[in-house]
Every structure is written in C-alpha cells, then in structure tokens.
Amino acid sequence: MFFERPDAGETAVLVHVDFQDEREREDPGEFLELVRSAGAEPATLLSGSRHRPDSRTFIGSGKVEELREALGVHGAELVIFNHALSPSQERNLEQVLKCRVLDRTGLILDIFAQRARTHEGKLQVELAQLEYMSTRLVRGWTHLERQKGGIGLRGPGETQLETDRRLLRARIKAIHKRLEKVRSQRAQNRRARARAEIPSVSLVGYTNAGKSTLFNALTESKVYTADQLFATLDPTLRRLEIGDVGPVVLADTVGFIRHLPHKLVEAFQATLQEAAEAALLVHVIDAADPDRERNIGEVEGVLNEIGALDVPMLKVMNKIDLLDSAPRIERDGQGRPEVVWLSAQEGRGLELLEEALSECLAVDVIDFSLTLSPEQGRLRAGLHELDAVREEHFEEPDGRVELKVRLPRRDFLQLMSRLDERAEDYLPPELCERPVWEGR
C-alpha cells in the first residue's frame, strides 16, 4: 500500500442513513448482503435519517458518538457506510473513531478484488482501486511533510504525497495501456465472429439474478454460482447450438447493482463491450424480488451508460419456482417473444428460452419445397450437409427428387453462390423478398 491506515478487523459496525431524496436512498437489505459477500461479520446496524449529509462526518456529531460507543460494545475495528463518502469525511471519521472506515464504493471494490480470477479481471479491479485511492492519499500522510534529509536519504525535493501520486499515475497509465491491448484483442475476436456470422448473446442483469445458473443450464458448464452478490466477475464465453440459427456465442457478464461506482463501469469497459456489441441481450431478472422493477431500471441505466440500450433485448423472468408460477412466453403485438418465465435452478422453461432465442436471432429462416433432377446432385448433397432437408421423396421413373427444406436464408444464399446457381430459380416468389421485422 502507498499509505498507512488502521488495521481492518472482520467484525464491522454498519451505518445506513435514509434521505428524503429517493434517488439517494440505498437498500439496507442489499447492504447487508454486500457486507457478507465481502467476508465481514456484521455486529450491528446503526441507522438514522437526515435531510442532507453532514459535510464533516456525513452523519453528524451525535451519531458519531453513538457509533464510537457501538464500536466499544462489540469490539469492532471496522465501520462500513452504505453510502459514498468524500475523502475528507472518511479521514475525519477515522481520526475520531480510531478505526478503519469504508464506504459503499470501497466495499464493492473489495468484493471485486476478492472475486477477480483472470489477468484481465485483476487489471480492471486494480485500475478501479488505484483511481479510487488516488483521491484518498492525503489522509495517509498527515504525519509526514517531506522525505528525510541527510546523506543517502535526500529525496528529489518533492513531498512524499507528491511521490505517491506520481507512482500512482505511472501505474494507472501502465494498466490503461494493457487494458487497451485487451480491448483490441476482444474487438478482433468479435470481428472474427462477425465474419463467420456467429451471433453473440450476452446475459445481463442485476447481481444475484441467476445469470450464471442459467448460463450453466444452457451450456452444461460449471461456472461458479452462489447465492451472493457479485459471484461472477470475470466474463465467460461458451458456444451454444440454437435451432434454425446454428452456433451462437453466449457470454456471462458481471452483475449490475444500484449506484454502481462510475469508476468500475469505466474500468470494466473492455468486458462490458461484449454486451454493447452483442446481437441480442438476455436480461435476466429475479422474478421473486420485490424490488425487481427498480432493479430493471438500474440495469437499463448501466446499459445506457455503456451504449448498449439500443441492442435488441429479451427479458427472462427467473426463479419462478419461488413464485409457484408456470413457464411461459409473453409476446408483443407482432408475435415476437418479449419475456420468458422460467426457473434456471430447476431447469423448467429452458426449452421455451431456446425457442425464443431462435425466433429473435433467426429472423430470416426460409421453409419451402423444391424438385431436383439427378443432374442436380451437388445441390441435394449441399442441402443435406447443412442439415436442411426435412422430407425427401423420389419420383419414378425419371429419378427426380422432391425435397422439403428449412434453413437460414444466408446459408441457402451461400450454398447457391458456391454452386454458381441463382437463388431465384429455386425460391417461391413470396420468399424472394427478404422479410424485415420492425425494430430490427
């Protein structure tokens, strides 16, 4: 670390304040889940209400004294606020309480640091931590003004604080360069998938909505799942076969949360870009959560921030086993699937989701009959190779064959081009014009 701070214990006193402004309010239940996800042991929750935060200590002198008493009673060495504190507020509180003070942003960063597994994930977390830390350096060096003097100990004439800031800037710049390389590699992979015409589908949603459980159920993977916030941090990509579409790339992404720190959104831009450039977003929602409408709004806010709100979206109402509800598909006025109700934990409704994915992605599947002569065997073989033949009848005595086929239009056009044939010679007139779904 670049500066000294009081040692942090595992037992924590929690602080939650209700404000009149609905936009500033936080959920105490979600706060408790965050604390437990970080591995801390909540001793007690100190709550109160204010019109606006106190500029010095956020909670006012009376509550600070109450907080000091709670620390003594429970033997706690850590205070965690369910709010974003300014650097000066954290410094003032630590001076008075003689223990470490952590705000909501620092708590989320700590959870992310614990969960990062891949090199990219660790870089992104470190970047967010350093940028968060850079505004809080001053409190760590209130006891030092300049580097020591004397032979062999003289510094370059700058304060220790300036030295630390310079080191931080250098490290942040180095991480930015390495993440830029990650971004270019991811972009190259996305371009390769686009050239191969493999659509990508990204699972997005509020944290702990069941994205990883659904991902495992669809792809038969073993991505880590747990009933805790931010169980998934590093993105995982898997190939998935969808009827009438063929292979798609399914991406499991980090969950969103209310008031997700802006620095985290910036740091995870490389990962979140998978969602911004997906062919389809699957918004996984905890159907049993009483705050699901608010959670939906939070997710859409982050999607808007990363430029992904215009990507076509399919909503999935997960955890219907907690509602005693039946799997079903809800459609719009044009018959397009809008919402799929299912239980990823019990595997109920997964076939409905695959049906909806097929309809959303395979917007141009053609289904028709054609008759081929024996001389057109290459075309017949090509259709069989694409697994497009549904029925086949041979006619005697001339050896002609009648085929009923169903396949994506692009596959048929590619086959025609490879055989140097005209698609119009085989398609019925009504299929010669490409249908376009409104809004796609």
Side-chain angles (χ1 to χ4, degrees):
M1 294 293 287
F2 284 92
F3 54 89
E4 300 169 1
R5 301 183 64 182
D7 292 333
E10 295 298 319
T11 305
V13 173
L14 313 184
V15 181
H16 170 80
V17 180
D18 281 321
F19 294 101
Q20 287 186 330
D21 188 349
E22 181 66 31
R23 293 170 299 177
E24 296 298 322
R25 289 189 180 181
E26 302 289 2
D27 182 357
E30 183 179 85
F31 177 41
L32 200 59
E33 287 299 315
L34 279 172
V35 171
R36 287 174 176 153
S37 294
E41 191 66 43
T44 185
L45 176 66
L46 190 68
S47 59
S49 59
R50 292 183 64 90
H51 290 289
R52 65 182 65 86
D54 180 75
S55 59
R56 277 187 50 79
T57 60
F58 194 86
I59 52 176
S61 57
K63 281 292 179 185
V64 170
E65 191 57 40
E66 193 177 334
L67 184 54
R68 195 212 306 261
E69 292 175 6
L71 285 167
V73 169
H74 297 281
E77 300 172 331
L78 176 64
V79 175
I80 307 177
F81 277 72
N82 191 21
H83 311 275
L85 301 178
S86 70
S88 62
Q89 287 169 338
E90 280 193 25
R91 182 189 63 216
N92 294 336
L93 285 165
E94 286 188 350
Q95 286 176 344
V96 173
L97 300 173
K98 307 300 183 206
C99 73
R100 187 177 176 193
V101 176
L102 196 64
D103 69 351
R104 181 183 172 89
T105 303
L107 178 64
I108 293 174
L109 283 172
D110 185 82
I111 296 172
F112 272 47
Q114 292 180 45
R115 303 284 160 75
R117 293 291 179 269
T118 65
H119 176 64
E120 177 194 347
K122 290 175 181 177
L123 279 178
Q124 291 175 134
V125 171
E126 185 182 357
L127 175 62
Q129 284 181 317
L130 290 176
E131 292 187 332
Y132 172 76
M133 188 192 303
S134 64
T135 62
R136 286 158 164 77
L137 276 176
V138 65
R139 67 173 171 194
W141 289 110
T142 52
H143 62 294
L144 283 179
E145 290 194 5
R146 288 196 172 272
Q147 296 174 346
K148 292 181 180 179
I151 297 173
L153 295 174
R154 292 187 180 92
E158 59 186 351
T159 64
Q160 183 66 53
L161 180 59
E162 289 167 345
T163 301
D164 289 343
R165 280 179 174 159
R166 178 167 50 79
L167 292 172
L168 272 177
R169 284 196 299 268
R171 180 61 181 160
I172 288 172
K173 186 177 179 181
I175 293 176
H176 271 298
K177 286 183 68 175
R178 291 164 79 176
L179 282 177
E180 192 58 43
K181 187 176 180 181
V182 170
R183 284 194 191 96
S184 64
Q185 288 171 341
R186 283 189 174 276
Q188 187 175 355
N189 291 340
R190 283 191 292 269
R191 287 194 296 270
R193 293 199 297 265
R195 284 196 298 271
E197 296 190 326
I198 300 177
S200 60
V201 178
S202 285
L203 299 179
V204 298
Y206 208 75
T207 182
N208 206 26
K211 295 183 296 301
S212 294
T213 303
L214 180 61
F215 182 86
N216 287 342
L218 288 173
T219 64
E220 298 181 359
S221 299
K222 294 183 180 179
V223 171
Y224 175 72
T225 61
D227 185 18
Q228 59 187 27
L229 304 186
F230 299 119
T232 299
L233 184 58
D234 298 308
T236 308
L237 305 180
R238 290 289 185 274
R239 185 184 177 102
L240 179 66
E241 291 288 334
I242 298 292
D244 289 338
V245 180
V248 303
V249 172
L250 187 66
D252 186 20
T253 61
V254 62
F256 303 150
I257 197 169
R258 184 173 172 84
H259 295 159
L260 186 67
H262 185 73
K263 289 296 180 187
L264 270 181
V265 177
E266 285 184 356
F268 279 77
Q269 193 69 33
T271 300
L272 297 174
Q273 201 65 25
E274 290 287 348
E277 298 189 16
L280 178 71
L281 295 180
V282 175
H283 183 179
V284 183
I285 302 161
D286 183 350
D289 192 329
D291 291 325
R292 75 184 189 199
E293 293 303 322
R294 190 197 71 178
N295 295 348
I296 290 171
E298 292 296 328
V299 171
E300 291 178 349
V302 176
L303 291 175
N304 184 53
E305 193 170 345
I306 63 174
L309 201 55
D310 294 332
V311 178
M313 182 184 294
L314 174 68
K315 290 182 179 177
V316 169
M317 291 292 182
N318 190 24
K319 305 186 183 182
I320 62 169
D321 49 294
L322 302 178
L323 297 175
D324 197 23
S325 181
R328 64 186 186 276
I329 298 179
E330 292 180 5
R331 300 178 181 273
D332 62 13
Q334 296 177 313
R336 289 188 59 187
E338 274 190 324
V339 185
V340 180
W341 294 73
L342 55 78
S343 169
Q345 185 72 40
E346 297 183 350
R348 292 195 294 132
L350 295 180
E351 69 286 350
L352 295 179
L353 176 57
E354 292 188 15
E355 177 187 332
L357 288 174
S358 177
E359 291 184 44
C360 289
L361 294 169
V363 296
D364 200 7
V365 173
I366 51 178
D367 195 335
F368 64 103
S369 299
L370 72 164
T371 302
L372 302 178
S373 66
E375 292 78 19
Q376 294 171 304
R378 289 180 64 209
L379 176 53
R380 175 176 169 269
L383 290 169
H384 273 287
E385 188 180 326
L386 293 171
D387 196 26
V389 179
R390 298 291 175 261
E391 293 182 28
E392 188 174 43
H393 300 288
F394 287 92
E395 299 178 0
E396 298 291 347
D398 56 4
R400 298 170 73 84
V401 60
E402 183 182 348
L403 303 174
K404 288 188 177 180
V405 298
R406 177 181 172 85
L407 75 169
R409 181 188 293 268
R410 68 166 186 266
D411 290 352
F412 184 69
L413 294 178
Q414 287 173 355
L415 177 61
M416 292 289 98
S417 176
R418 194 167 71 244
L419 299 177
D420 199 22
E421 297 268 12
R422 281 167 35 94
E424 294 84 355
D425 294 340
Y426 297 93
L427 288 174
E430 65 272 15
L431 292 181
C432 287
E433 288 296 323
R434 178 172 180 158
V436 178
W437 270 0
E438 188 178 344
R440 289 286 294 180

Short mmCIF file of all heavy atoms in Angstrom, two decimals, residues 24-45:
data_model
loop_
_atom_site.label_atom_id
_atom_site.label_comp_id
_atom_site.label_asym_id
_atom_site.label_seq_id
_atom_site.Cartn_x
_atom_site.Cartn_y
_atom_site.Cartn_z
N GLU A 24 -31.21 9.18 -3.66
CA GLU A 24 -30.05 8.99 -2.80
C GLU A 24 -30.19 7.79 -1.87
O GLU A 24 -29.25 7.41 -1.20
CB GLU A 24 -29.82 10.27 -1.97
CG GLU A 24 -29.47 11.49 -2.79
CD GLU A 24 -28.16 11.31 -3.54
OE1 GLU A 24 -27.24 10.71 -2.99
OE2 GLU A 24 -28.08 11.77 -4.69
N ARG A 25 -31.39 7.21 -1.83
CA ARG A 25 -31.63 6.12 -0.88
C ARG A 25 -30.96 4.83 -1.32
O ARG A 25 -30.89 4.52 -2.50
CB ARG A 25 -33.13 5.89 -0.71
CG ARG A 25 -33.84 6.99 0.05
CD ARG A 25 -35.27 6.61 0.37
NE ARG A 25 -35.95 7.67 1.11
CZ ARG A 25 -37.20 7.60 1.52
NH1 ARG A 25 -37.91 6.52 1.27
NH2 ARG A 25 -37.74 8.61 2.18
N GLU A 26 -30.48 4.09 -0.32
CA GLU A 26 -29.90 2.78 -0.57
C GLU A 26 -30.76 1.72 0.13
O GLU A 26 -31.54 2.03 1.04
CB GLU A 26 -28.45 2.71 -0.06
CG GLU A 26 -27.52 3.75 -0.67
CD GLU A 26 -27.19 3.47 -2.12
OE1 GLU A 26 -27.70 2.48 -2.68
OE2 GLU A 26 -26.42 4.24 -2.71
N ASP A 27 -30.59 0.47 -0.27
CA ASP A 27 -31.35 -0.64 0.30
C ASP A 27 -30.55 -1.27 1.43
O ASP A 27 -29.48 -1.82 1.19
CB ASP A 27 -31.63 -1.66 -0.81
CG ASP A 27 -32.46 -2.83 -0.31
OD1 ASP A 27 -32.78 -2.87 0.89
OD2 ASP A 27 -32.80 -3.72 -1.12
N PRO A 28 -31.04 -1.22 2.70
CA PRO A 28 -30.27 -1.82 3.80
C PRO A 28 -30.12 -3.33 3.67
O PRO A 28 -29.10 -3.90 4.09
CB PRO A 28 -31.07 -1.43 5.06
CG PRO A 28 -32.42 -1.03 4.57
CD PRO A 28 -32.25 -0.52 3.17
N GLY A 29 -31.13 -4.01 3.10
CA GLY A 29 -31.03 -5.46 2.90
C GLY A 29 -29.92 -5.82 1.93
O GLY A 29 -29.14 -6.76 2.17
N GLU A 30 -29.84 -5.07 0.84
CA GLU A 30 -28.77 -5.29 -0.14
C GLU A 30 -27.41 -4.96 0.48
O GLU A 30 -26.41 -5.64 0.20
CB GLU A 30 -29.03 -4.42 -1.36
CG GLU A 30 -28.04 -4.61 -2.49
CD GLU A 30 -28.39 -3.72 -3.67
OE1 GLU A 30 -27.97 -2.55 -3.68
OE2 GLU A 30 -29.07 -4.20 -4.59
N PHE A 31 -27.37 -3.94 1.31
CA PHE A 31 -26.13 -3.55 2.00
C PHE A 31 -25.62 -4.70 2.86
O PHE A 31 -24.43 -5.03 2.87
CB PHE A 31 -26.42 -2.30 2.85
CG PHE A 31 -25.27 -1.81 3.67
CD1 PHE A 31 -23.98 -1.79 3.16
CD2 PHE A 31 -25.47 -1.37 4.97
CE1 PHE A 31 -22.91 -1.32 3.92
CE2 PHE A 31 -24.41 -0.90 5.73
CZ PHE A 31 -23.13 -0.88 5.20
N LEU A 32 -26.53 -5.35 3.58
CA LEU A 32 -26.15 -6.48 4.43
C LEU A 32 -25.57 -7.62 3.59
O LEU A 32 -24.58 -8.25 3.98
CB LEU A 32 -27.37 -6.95 5.21
CG LEU A 32 -27.11 -7.79 6.47
CD1 LEU A 32 -26.27 -7.03 7.47
CD2 LEU A 32 -28.43 -8.22 7.09
N GLU A 33 -26.17 -7.87 2.41
CA GLU A 33 -25.66 -8.91 1.52
C GLU A 33 -24.27 -8.55 1.00
O GLU A 33 -23.40 -9.41 0.87
CB GLU A 33 -26.63 -9.12 0.35
CG GLU A 33 -27.91 -9.83 0.71
CD GLU A 33 -27.65 -11.23 1.24
OE1 GLU A 33 -26.84 -11.96 0.63
OE2 GLU A 33 -28.23 -11.59 2.28
N LEU A 34 -24.06 -7.27 0.69
CA LEU A 34 -22.73 -6.83 0.24
C LEU A 34 -21.68 -7.07 1.32
O LEU A 34 -20.58 -7.56 1.04
CB LEU A 34 -22.77 -5.34 -0.12
CG LEU A 34 -23.31 -4.95 -1.49
CD1 LEU A 34 -23.45 -3.43 -1.58
CD2 LEU A 34 -22.41 -5.45 -2.60
N VAL A 35 -22.02 -6.73 2.56
CA VAL A 35 -21.07 -6.89 3.67
C VAL A 35 -20.71 -8.36 3.85
O VAL A 35 -19.54 -8.73 4.00
CB VAL A 35 -21.65 -6.30 4.97
CG1 VAL A 35 -20.78 -6.65 6.17
CG2 VAL A 35 -21.79 -4.79 4.84
N ARG A 36 -21.72 -9.22 3.81
CA ARG A 36 -21.46 -10.65 3.97
C ARG A 36 -20.67 -11.21 2.79
O ARG A 36 -19.83 -12.09 2.95
CB ARG A 36 -22.79 -11.40 4.12
CG ARG A 36 -23.43 -11.17 5.50
CD ARG A 36 -24.80 -11.79 5.59
NE ARG A 36 -25.36 -11.63 6.93
CZ ARG A 36 -26.65 -11.60 7.19
NH1 ARG A 36 -27.52 -11.72 6.20
NH2 ARG A 36 -27.09 -11.47 8.43
N SER A 37 -20.96 -10.69 1.58
CA SER A 37 -20.21 -11.14 0.40
C SER A 37 -18.74 -10.78 0.52
O SER A 37 -17.87 -11.47 -0.01
CB SER A 37 -20.80 -10.52 -0.88
OG SER A 37 -22.12 -11.00 -1.11
N ALA A 38 -18.45 -9.66 1.21
CA ALA A 38 -17.06 -9.23 1.38
C ALA A 38 -16.34 -10.05 2.45
O ALA A 38 -15.12 -9.96 2.58
CB ALA A 38 -17.00 -7.75 1.73
N GLY A 39 -17.10 -10.82 3.24
CA GLY A 39 -16.49 -11.66 4.27
C GLY A 39 -16.46 -11.02 5.65
O GLY A 39 -15.86 -11.56 6.57
N ALA A 40 -17.10 -9.85 5.79
CA ALA A 40 -17.13 -9.19 7.10
C ALA A 40 -18.25 -9.78 7.96
O ALA A 40 -19.21 -10.37 7.45
CB ALA A 40 -17.33 -7.69 6.93
N GLU A 41 -18.13 -9.60 9.27
CA GLU A 41 -19.13 -10.09 10.22
C GLU A 41 -19.90 -8.90 10.76
O GLU A 41 -19.37 -8.13 11.59
CB GLU A 41 -18.43 -10.84 11.36
CG GLU A 41 -19.37 -11.61 12.25
CD GLU A 41 -20.05 -12.77 11.55
OE1 GLU A 41 -19.37 -13.49 10.80
OE2 GLU A 41 -21.27 -12.93 11.75
N PRO A 42 -21.16 -8.68 10.32
CA PRO A 42 -21.92 -7.51 10.80
C PRO A 42 -22.22 -7.64 12.29
O PRO A 42 -22.81 -8.64 12.72
CB PRO A 42 -23.20 -7.55 9.97
CG PRO A 42 -22.93 -8.51 8.85
CD PRO A 42 -21.93 -9.47 9.35
N ALA A 43 -21.82 -6.64 13.08
CA ALA A 43 -22.10 -6.67 14.51
C ALA A 43 -23.44 -6.01 14.81
O ALA A 43 -24.26 -6.55 15.56
CB ALA A 43 -20.97 -5.95 15.26
N THR A 44 -23.66 -4.85 14.22
CA THR A 44 -24.93 -4.14 14.41
C THR A 44 -25.10 -3.14 13.29
O THR A 44 -24.11 -2.75 12.63
CB THR A 44 -24.96 -3.41 15.78
OG1 THR A 44 -26.25 -2.82 15.97
CG2 THR A 44 -23.91 -2.31 15.83
N LEU A 45 -26.33 -2.74 13.04
CA LEU A 45 -26.63 -1.74 12.01
C LEU A 45 -27.11 -0.48 12.70
O LEU A 45 -28.12 -0.48 13.40
CB LEU A 45 -27.69 -2.25 11.05
CG LEU A 45 -28.17 -1.25 9.98
CD1 LEU A 45 -27.04 -0.92 9.02
CD2 LEU A 45 -29.38 -1.80 9.22
#
